[in-house]
Short mmCIF file of all heavy atoms in Angstrom, two decimals:
data_model
loop_
_atom_site.label_atom_id
_atom_site.label_comp_id
_atom_site.label_asym_id
_atom_site.label_seq_id
_atom_site.Cartn_x
_atom_site.Cartn_y
_atom_site.Cartn_z
N LEU A 1 0.99 -33.35 -14.20
CA LEU A 1 0.17 -32.17 -14.45
C LEU A 1 -1.05 -32.17 -13.54
O LEU A 1 -1.69 -33.18 -13.32
CB LEU A 1 -0.26 -32.12 -15.91
CG LEU A 1 0.87 -31.94 -16.92
CD1 LEU A 1 0.33 -32.04 -18.33
CD2 LEU A 1 1.54 -30.61 -16.71
N GLY A 2 -1.39 -31.02 -13.03
CA GLY A 2 -2.58 -30.88 -12.19
C GLY A 2 -2.32 -31.20 -10.74
O GLY A 2 -3.23 -31.14 -9.92
N ALA A 3 -1.12 -31.55 -10.39
CA ALA A 3 -0.82 -31.88 -9.00
C ALA A 3 -0.33 -30.61 -8.31
O ALA A 3 0.84 -30.28 -8.36
CB ALA A 3 0.23 -32.97 -8.92
N ALA A 4 -1.23 -29.90 -7.68
CA ALA A 4 -0.87 -28.66 -6.98
C ALA A 4 -0.70 -28.98 -5.51
O ALA A 4 -1.65 -29.11 -4.76
CB ALA A 4 -1.96 -27.61 -7.18
N ASP A 5 0.53 -29.13 -5.08
CA ASP A 5 0.83 -29.45 -3.69
C ASP A 5 1.08 -28.15 -2.95
O ASP A 5 2.18 -27.61 -2.94
CB ASP A 5 2.05 -30.36 -3.61
CG ASP A 5 2.35 -30.75 -2.18
OD1 ASP A 5 1.43 -30.71 -1.35
OD2 ASP A 5 3.52 -31.08 -1.90
N THR A 6 0.04 -27.62 -2.31
CA THR A 6 0.17 -26.37 -1.56
C THR A 6 0.13 -26.61 -0.07
O THR A 6 -0.03 -25.68 0.70
CB THR A 6 -0.95 -25.39 -1.96
OG1 THR A 6 -2.21 -26.00 -1.67
CG2 THR A 6 -0.85 -25.01 -3.41
N ALA A 7 0.25 -27.85 0.35
CA ALA A 7 0.17 -28.15 1.77
C ALA A 7 1.35 -27.55 2.53
O ALA A 7 1.22 -27.14 3.67
CB ALA A 7 0.11 -29.66 1.98
N GLY A 8 2.52 -27.49 1.90
CA GLY A 8 3.70 -26.98 2.59
C GLY A 8 3.99 -25.52 2.27
O GLY A 8 5.06 -25.03 2.60
N VAL A 9 3.05 -24.82 1.64
CA VAL A 9 3.29 -23.43 1.24
C VAL A 9 2.40 -22.52 2.06
O VAL A 9 1.20 -22.74 2.18
CB VAL A 9 2.99 -23.24 -0.27
CG1 VAL A 9 3.17 -21.79 -0.65
CG2 VAL A 9 3.87 -24.13 -1.09
N ILE A 10 2.98 -21.49 2.65
CA ILE A 10 2.22 -20.48 3.40
C ILE A 10 2.21 -19.21 2.57
O ILE A 10 3.25 -18.67 2.22
CB ILE A 10 2.86 -20.21 4.77
CG1 ILE A 10 2.88 -21.49 5.60
CG2 ILE A 10 2.13 -19.10 5.49
CD1 ILE A 10 3.66 -21.37 6.88
N GLN A 11 1.01 -18.74 2.23
CA GLN A 11 0.88 -17.53 1.42
C GLN A 11 1.17 -16.30 2.29
O GLN A 11 0.60 -16.14 3.35
CB GLN A 11 -0.52 -17.43 0.83
CG GLN A 11 -0.85 -18.52 -0.16
CD GLN A 11 -0.05 -18.38 -1.43
OE1 GLN A 11 0.29 -17.29 -1.83
NE2 GLN A 11 0.26 -19.50 -2.06
N VAL A 12 2.05 -15.43 1.81
CA VAL A 12 2.41 -14.19 2.50
C VAL A 12 2.13 -13.04 1.55
O VAL A 12 2.37 -13.15 0.36
CB VAL A 12 3.90 -14.21 2.91
CG1 VAL A 12 4.28 -12.92 3.58
CG2 VAL A 12 4.17 -15.39 3.81
N ALA A 13 1.62 -11.94 2.06
CA ALA A 13 1.27 -10.79 1.22
C ALA A 13 2.52 -10.04 0.79
O ALA A 13 2.81 -8.95 1.26
CB ALA A 13 0.32 -9.87 1.95
N GLN A 14 3.31 -10.64 -0.07
CA GLN A 14 4.48 -10.03 -0.69
C GLN A 14 5.49 -9.51 0.34
O GLN A 14 6.18 -8.54 0.11
CB GLN A 14 4.06 -8.90 -1.63
CG GLN A 14 3.13 -9.37 -2.70
CD GLN A 14 2.54 -8.21 -3.47
OE1 GLN A 14 2.77 -7.06 -3.17
NE2 GLN A 14 1.79 -8.52 -4.49
N GLY A 15 5.54 -10.11 1.50
CA GLY A 15 6.52 -9.72 2.50
C GLY A 15 6.11 -8.55 3.36
O GLY A 15 6.90 -8.08 4.16
N CYS A 16 4.90 -8.04 3.20
CA CYS A 16 4.46 -6.87 3.96
C CYS A 16 3.61 -7.24 5.17
O CYS A 16 3.41 -6.42 6.03
CB CYS A 16 3.66 -5.94 3.06
SG CYS A 16 4.65 -5.18 1.78
N GLY A 17 3.09 -8.45 5.22
CA GLY A 17 2.25 -8.86 6.33
C GLY A 17 0.79 -8.80 5.95
O GLY A 17 0.41 -8.31 4.88
N PRO A 18 -0.09 -9.29 6.83
CA PRO A 18 -1.51 -9.31 6.51
C PRO A 18 -2.10 -7.91 6.45
O PRO A 18 -1.82 -7.06 7.30
CB PRO A 18 -2.12 -10.13 7.65
CG PRO A 18 -1.13 -10.06 8.75
CD PRO A 18 0.21 -9.90 8.11
N GLY A 19 -2.91 -7.67 5.45
CA GLY A 19 -3.56 -6.37 5.28
C GLY A 19 -2.72 -5.35 4.55
O GLY A 19 -3.15 -4.22 4.36
N TRP A 20 -1.53 -5.73 4.10
CA TRP A 20 -0.63 -4.82 3.40
C TRP A 20 -0.15 -5.48 2.12
O TRP A 20 -0.09 -6.69 2.02
CB TRP A 20 0.57 -4.48 4.28
CG TRP A 20 0.19 -3.70 5.49
CD1 TRP A 20 -0.38 -4.17 6.63
CD2 TRP A 20 0.34 -2.30 5.67
NE1 TRP A 20 -0.59 -3.15 7.51
CE2 TRP A 20 -0.16 -1.99 6.95
CE3 TRP A 20 0.84 -1.28 4.90
CZ2 TRP A 20 -0.17 -0.71 7.45
CZ3 TRP A 20 0.84 0.00 5.40
CH2 TRP A 20 0.34 0.28 6.66
N ALA A 21 0.22 -4.69 1.13
CA ALA A 21 0.73 -5.19 -0.14
C ALA A 21 1.76 -4.20 -0.67
O ALA A 21 1.86 -3.07 -0.20
CB ALA A 21 -0.39 -5.37 -1.15
N ARG A 22 2.51 -4.65 -1.66
CA ARG A 22 3.51 -3.78 -2.28
C ARG A 22 2.84 -2.77 -3.18
O ARG A 22 1.97 -3.10 -3.97
CB ARG A 22 4.51 -4.59 -3.10
CG ARG A 22 5.33 -5.53 -2.28
CD ARG A 22 6.51 -4.82 -1.72
NE ARG A 22 7.26 -5.76 -0.88
CZ ARG A 22 8.21 -5.41 -0.07
NH1 ARG A 22 8.56 -4.16 0.01
NH2 ARG A 22 8.83 -6.29 0.66
N GLY A 23 3.28 -1.53 -3.10
CA GLY A 23 2.77 -0.46 -3.95
C GLY A 23 3.55 -0.38 -5.25
O GLY A 23 4.43 -1.20 -5.53
N PRO A 24 3.28 0.64 -6.08
CA PRO A 24 3.97 0.76 -7.36
C PRO A 24 5.46 1.02 -7.22
O PRO A 24 6.21 0.74 -8.13
CB PRO A 24 3.26 1.93 -8.04
CG PRO A 24 2.54 2.65 -6.98
CD PRO A 24 2.26 1.67 -5.88
N TYR A 25 5.91 1.54 -6.09
CA TYR A 25 7.34 1.83 -5.91
C TYR A 25 8.00 0.84 -4.96
O TYR A 25 9.09 1.09 -4.48
CB TYR A 25 7.53 3.25 -5.41
CG TYR A 25 7.01 4.27 -6.39
CD1 TYR A 25 5.88 5.01 -6.12
CD2 TYR A 25 7.63 4.44 -7.62
CE1 TYR A 25 5.39 5.91 -7.02
CE2 TYR A 25 7.15 5.35 -8.53
CZ TYR A 25 6.03 6.08 -8.22
OH TYR A 25 5.54 6.97 -9.13
N GLY A 26 7.33 -0.28 -4.65
CA GLY A 26 7.91 -1.32 -3.84
C GLY A 26 7.77 -1.14 -2.35
O GLY A 26 8.29 -1.94 -1.59
N ARG A 27 7.08 -0.12 -1.90
CA ARG A 27 6.90 0.09 -0.47
C ARG A 27 5.59 -0.55 -0.03
O ARG A 27 4.66 -0.70 -0.81
CB ARG A 27 6.88 1.57 -0.15
CG ARG A 27 8.18 2.24 -0.60
CD ARG A 27 8.27 3.61 -0.12
NE ARG A 27 8.76 3.53 1.26
CZ ARG A 27 9.02 4.59 2.01
NH1 ARG A 27 8.83 5.78 1.53
NH2 ARG A 27 9.46 4.45 3.23
N CYS A 28 5.49 -0.91 1.23
CA CYS A 28 4.28 -1.53 1.76
C CYS A 28 3.20 -0.47 1.96
O CYS A 28 3.48 0.62 2.45
CB CYS A 28 4.59 -2.23 3.08
SG CYS A 28 5.69 -3.63 2.89
N ARG A 29 1.97 -0.82 1.57
CA ARG A 29 0.84 0.09 1.75
C ARG A 29 -0.39 -0.75 2.09
O ARG A 29 -0.44 -1.94 1.78
CB ARG A 29 0.59 0.91 0.49
CG ARG A 29 0.22 0.07 -0.71
CD ARG A 29 0.09 0.95 -1.94
NE ARG A 29 -0.14 0.13 -3.09
CZ ARG A 29 -1.32 -0.02 -3.68
NH1 ARG A 29 -2.36 0.62 -3.21
NH2 ARG A 29 -1.46 -0.79 -4.72
N PRO A 30 -1.39 -0.18 2.74
CA PRO A 30 -2.57 -0.97 3.09
C PRO A 30 -3.36 -1.39 1.85
O PRO A 30 -3.37 -0.67 0.85
CB PRO A 30 -3.39 -0.03 3.98
CG PRO A 30 -2.85 1.32 3.74
CD PRO A 30 -1.45 1.18 3.24
N ILE A 31 -3.99 -2.56 1.96
CA ILE A 31 -4.73 -3.09 0.81
C ILE A 31 -6.07 -2.37 0.64
O ILE A 31 -6.53 -2.17 -0.47
CB ILE A 31 -4.96 -4.61 1.00
CG1 ILE A 31 -3.63 -5.35 0.93
CG2 ILE A 31 -5.91 -5.16 -0.04
CD1 ILE A 31 -3.73 -6.82 1.21
N TYR A 32 -6.70 -1.96 1.73
CA TYR A 32 -8.05 -1.42 1.64
C TYR A 32 -8.08 -0.05 0.98
O TYR A 32 -7.40 0.84 1.38
CB TYR A 32 -8.68 -1.33 3.04
CG TYR A 32 -7.82 -0.64 4.05
CD1 TYR A 32 -7.83 0.73 4.18
CD2 TYR A 32 -6.98 -1.36 4.88
CE1 TYR A 32 -7.03 1.37 5.10
CE2 TYR A 32 -6.18 -0.74 5.81
CZ TYR A 32 -6.22 0.64 5.91
OH TYR A 32 -5.42 1.26 6.84
N GLY A 33 -8.87 0.09 -0.06
CA GLY A 33 -9.23 1.30 -0.77
C GLY A 33 -8.21 2.43 -0.86
O GLY A 33 -7.19 2.41 -0.22
N PRO A 34 -8.53 3.41 -1.69
CA PRO A 34 -7.64 4.57 -1.83
C PRO A 34 -7.72 5.47 -0.60
O PRO A 34 -8.77 5.62 0.01
CB PRO A 34 -8.17 5.28 -3.07
CG PRO A 34 -9.59 4.88 -3.16
CD PRO A 34 -9.68 3.49 -2.59
N ARG A 35 -6.59 6.06 -0.25
CA ARG A 35 -6.54 6.99 0.87
C ARG A 35 -6.65 8.41 0.34
O ARG A 35 -6.22 8.69 -0.78
CB ARG A 35 -5.25 6.81 1.64
CG ARG A 35 -5.15 5.46 2.29
CD ARG A 35 -3.90 5.34 3.08
NE ARG A 35 -2.75 5.60 2.22
CZ ARG A 35 -1.51 5.35 2.56
NH1 ARG A 35 -1.25 4.86 3.73
NH2 ARG A 35 -0.51 5.61 1.75
N PRO A 36 -7.20 9.32 1.14
CA PRO A 36 -7.27 10.71 0.68
C PRO A 36 -5.88 11.32 0.57
O PRO A 36 -4.99 10.98 1.33
CB PRO A 36 -8.11 11.40 1.75
CG PRO A 36 -7.95 10.55 2.96
CD PRO A 36 -7.79 9.13 2.46
N VAL A 37 -5.74 12.21 -0.36
CA VAL A 37 -4.47 12.88 -0.57
C VAL A 37 -4.50 14.20 0.20
O VAL A 37 -5.36 15.03 -0.02
CB VAL A 37 -4.22 13.15 -2.08
CG1 VAL A 37 -2.95 13.93 -2.28
CG2 VAL A 37 -4.20 11.85 -2.83
N TYR A 38 -3.57 14.34 1.12
CA TYR A 38 -3.48 15.57 1.89
C TYR A 38 -2.46 16.47 1.24
O TYR A 38 -1.30 16.10 1.09
CB TYR A 38 -3.07 15.26 3.33
CG TYR A 38 -4.12 14.45 4.07
CD1 TYR A 38 -3.92 13.10 4.31
CD2 TYR A 38 -5.30 15.03 4.48
CE1 TYR A 38 -4.88 12.36 4.98
CE2 TYR A 38 -6.26 14.30 5.13
CZ TYR A 38 -6.05 12.96 5.39
OH TYR A 38 -7.00 12.23 6.03
N ARG A 39 -2.90 17.64 0.84
CA ARG A 39 -2.00 18.58 0.19
C ARG A 39 -1.61 19.68 1.17
O ARG A 39 -2.39 20.06 2.02
CB ARG A 39 -2.67 19.19 -1.03
CG ARG A 39 -2.98 18.14 -2.05
CD ARG A 39 -3.71 18.72 -3.21
NE ARG A 39 -4.17 17.60 -4.04
CZ ARG A 39 -4.16 17.60 -5.33
NH1 ARG A 39 -3.74 18.64 -5.98
NH2 ARG A 39 -4.58 16.56 -6.00
N ALA A 40 -0.43 20.17 1.00
CA ALA A 40 0.05 21.25 1.86
C ALA A 40 -0.75 22.52 1.54
O ALA A 40 -1.06 22.80 0.38
CB ALA A 40 1.53 21.49 1.61
N PRO A 41 -1.10 23.27 2.57
CA PRO A 41 -1.85 24.50 2.31
C PRO A 41 -0.99 25.51 1.55
O PRO A 41 0.22 25.58 1.73
CB PRO A 41 -2.21 25.01 3.70
CG PRO A 41 -1.21 24.39 4.60
CD PRO A 41 -0.85 23.06 3.99
N ILE A 42 -1.64 26.26 0.71
CA ILE A 42 -0.94 27.28 -0.07
C ILE A 42 -0.83 28.53 0.79
O ILE A 42 -1.83 29.04 1.29
CB ILE A 42 -1.69 27.58 -1.38
CG1 ILE A 42 -1.76 26.32 -2.23
CG2 ILE A 42 -1.03 28.71 -2.13
CD1 ILE A 42 -2.65 26.46 -3.44
N TYR A 43 0.38 29.01 0.97
CA TYR A 43 0.59 30.20 1.79
C TYR A 43 0.52 31.43 0.91
O TYR A 43 1.24 31.54 -0.08
CB TYR A 43 1.95 30.13 2.49
CG TYR A 43 2.25 31.39 3.27
CD1 TYR A 43 1.61 31.63 4.48
CD2 TYR A 43 3.12 32.34 2.79
CE1 TYR A 43 1.86 32.78 5.20
CE2 TYR A 43 3.38 33.50 3.49
CZ TYR A 43 2.74 33.71 4.70
OH TYR A 43 2.98 34.85 5.38
N ARG A 44 -0.34 32.33 1.29
CA ARG A 44 -0.45 33.61 0.59
C ARG A 44 -0.20 34.71 1.61
O ARG A 44 -0.73 34.68 2.71
CB ARG A 44 -1.83 33.78 -0.02
CG ARG A 44 -2.10 32.80 -1.13
CD ARG A 44 -3.42 33.11 -1.80
NE ARG A 44 -3.67 32.08 -2.80
CZ ARG A 44 -4.84 31.54 -3.05
NH1 ARG A 44 -5.89 31.94 -2.37
NH2 ARG A 44 -4.98 30.63 -3.96
N ALA A 45 0.59 35.67 1.19
CA ALA A 45 0.88 36.79 2.07
C ALA A 45 -0.39 37.61 2.29
O ALA A 45 -1.21 37.78 1.39
CB ALA A 45 1.97 37.66 1.46
N PRO A 46 -0.59 38.09 3.50
CA PRO A 46 -1.80 38.88 3.75
C PRO A 46 -1.76 40.20 2.97
O PRO A 46 -0.70 40.78 2.74
CB PRO A 46 -1.74 39.14 5.26
CG PRO A 46 -0.31 38.96 5.63
CD PRO A 46 0.24 37.95 4.68
#
């Protein structure tokens, strides 16, 4: 107990690479803060 041998273990960000992590649906997304949501413009007839 208490013997944590991490010398042979390399930490990886869930398979996405540095600066990225898995999102709620399993896709890779950046770790830093929320991104703005871009919505499609609403088309109205003139």
Side-chain angles (χ1 to χ4, degrees):
L1 295 175
D5 182 23
T6 59
V9 177
I10 299 172
Q11 295 291 329
V12 178
Q14 302 171 356
C16 293
W20 294 77
R22 296 275 178 192
Y25 299 110
R27 301 189 82 177
C28 294
R29 63 184 175 103
I31 293 175
Y32 51 85
R35 295 183 303 192
V37 176
Y38 295 105
R39 297 177 190 220
I42 298 172
Y43 177 75
R44 293 186 184 140

